Amino acid sequence: MARRSMRLVEYGKPFELTKEEVPTAPKGGAVVKNEYAGVCHTDAHSADDEFSGLAPLKCVLGHEMAGTIVEIDPSAELKVGDKVIVYWHGGCGGCSRCAVGETTACLKDVKHWAGITEDGGFSDYVVIPDAKLLVKVPDTIAMDAACLLPCSGITAYNAVCNMVPTVQDFAKHSADCAVLLVGAGGLGLWGVQFAKQLLPAGVRVLSADVDEEKLATAKAAGCDEALLWGKDVDDDTAVAAAKKACGSLGGAVAAIDFVNVPATFGRIEKILVQGGMHVVVGLLGGDAPGSVPLMPYVLSRHQMAGVLMGSLPQLKDLVALMAQGNVKPPPISHHPLENVYDVLQDLKAGKVKGRAVVKL
Ligand SMILES: [Zn+2]
Ligand SMILES: [Zn+2]
């Protein structure tokens, strides 16, 4: 059995097409025949070595995988022929956090990350060292959409899960609650739909973005009110308009920042009601200067949660939610394996609409 792989041979340079025998499954592991592999900004960062060697040379990138099991340890729960997605954030497997599927918080900080630290999806076959990281996909979910769930899908899902307890608490005592989602790109659109599914009925979902077109798609995805935060809108105006849109409580009971630059952070802090939940997701502020104003968090009793992906149990919950058919994936374009590096360049240049996936 042979596989074609697009390997990272030099940072910042096109991948190399290699052909080799497919390795056999290790004890406790599996081999998956990839059907689709999502092309993600993280792959661009890995290919350009922005993670300082986290993705080693000779590695096959691509961490968003959906395919069929062709070999698996006989003791595993899943069987050959099962359609699966890969929870790509493997940890040490032995610590108490890994034991409950919270491998992104592995206490030993071990990173077995398929498609970053180890061979991943830009290949016909992938070897998964731990079969427990595979999640079965029901027939009601298209496989090209399924491959997106372990990355953008689960991140937005986890972000919404983080606000659920606070929103439920407020909604018990007020019929007029609103939440704010900042950023109406890919994550934001998942977020709007998950918020509508997971939050108590009647909670209004507000979406803010600098782009009018993106806000229109957020509306189509179910958001109740769109807030245009264009370049000509100053902080005071943006905050006042958002608070007004939030209704009788005069502010949002929870907010998710999918952008996370100092400006959005500061606005959210002012828009949240006392005791509101501030969920921070976006990495765009990674290099941004500025500091977090701590006192308002004390005086306004704001809570804050940082979100990096989600857990393995959450991915299983997300698959069950998607199987109900009420959440629509973003528009998806298919590309041949050989073109994956060019697709990455298009992604970096902002030329990819919706999500691009490699069809194997
Ligand atoms: Zn990704
Ligand atoms: Zn661990």
Side-chain angles (χ1 to χ4, degrees), residues 251-313:
V253 299
I256 302 174
D257 194 347
F258 288 115
V259 180
N260 193 24
V261 294
T264 57
F265 190 98
R267 286 180 187 184
I268 286 175
E269 190 268 312
K270 293 189 181 107
I271 293 164
L272 283 177
V273 298
Q274 297 242 357
M277 170 57 96
H278 186 164
V279 182
V280 183
V281 182
L283 298 170
L284 296 182
D287 296 325
S291 56
V292 178
L294 293 177
M295 270 327 271
Y297 278 84
V298 179
L299 299 176
S300 300
R301 302 159 191 86
H302 288 166
Q303 313 163 69
M304 197 194 288
V307 164
L308 176 70
M309 311 295 299
S311 68
L312 180 57

Side-chain angles (χ1 to χ4, degrees), residues 95-288:
C95 75
S96 59
R97 291 281 80 200
C98 283
V100 293
E102 292 278 2
T103 48
T104 58
C106 171
L107 294 176
K108 294 190 177 154
D109 202 20
V110 171
K111 294 179 173 66
H112 286 301
W113 292 359
I116 296 187
T117 66
E118 282 148 33
D119 283 358
F122 299 152
S123 174
D124 294 312
Y125 294 86
V126 62
V127 178
I128 302 298
D130 184 353
K132 289 194 208 76
L133 300 175
L134 300 176
V135 176
K136 194 169 174 175
V137 179
D139 291 339
T140 47
I141 304 177
M143 289 296 272
D144 57 352
C147 79
L148 307 176
L149 299 180
C151 191
S152 59
I154 196 173
T155 300
Y157 182 79
N158 186 13
V160 173
C161 286
N162 267 280
M163 44 180 205
V164 167
T166 305
V167 178
Q168 281 176 339
D169 196 32
F170 273 97
K172 259 190 256 167
H173 309 288
S174 169
D176 188 19
C177 287
V179 299
L180 172 65
L181 271 52
V182 177
L187 284 174
L189 291 184
W190 284 117
V192 165
Q193 298 182 79
F194 295 146
K196 281 291 174 188
Q197 294 293 316
L198 301 181
L199 299 178
V203 171
R204 283 178 308 120
V205 178
L206 280 52
S207 198
D209 200 282
V210 294
D211 186 330
E212 229 162 331
E213 215 175 298
K214 284 185 178 166
L215 285 175
T217 51
K219 275 270 197 187
C223 101
D224 298 287
E225 194 142 357
L227 302 166
L228 184 59
W229 284 4
K231 288 199 165 42
D232 54 337
V233 181
D234 62 41
D235 284 343
D236 288 346
T237 311
V239 169
K243 286 170 84 99
K244 189 162 176 249
C246 285
S248 58
L249 290 180
V253 299
I256 302 174
D257 194 347
F258 288 115
V259 180
N260 193 24
V261 294
T264 57
F265 190 98
R267 286 180 187 184
I268 286 175
E269 190 268 312
K270 293 189 181 107
I271 293 164
L272 283 177
V273 298
Q274 297 242 357
M277 170 57 96
H278 186 164
V279 182
V280 183
V281 182
L283 298 170
L284 296 182
D287 296 325

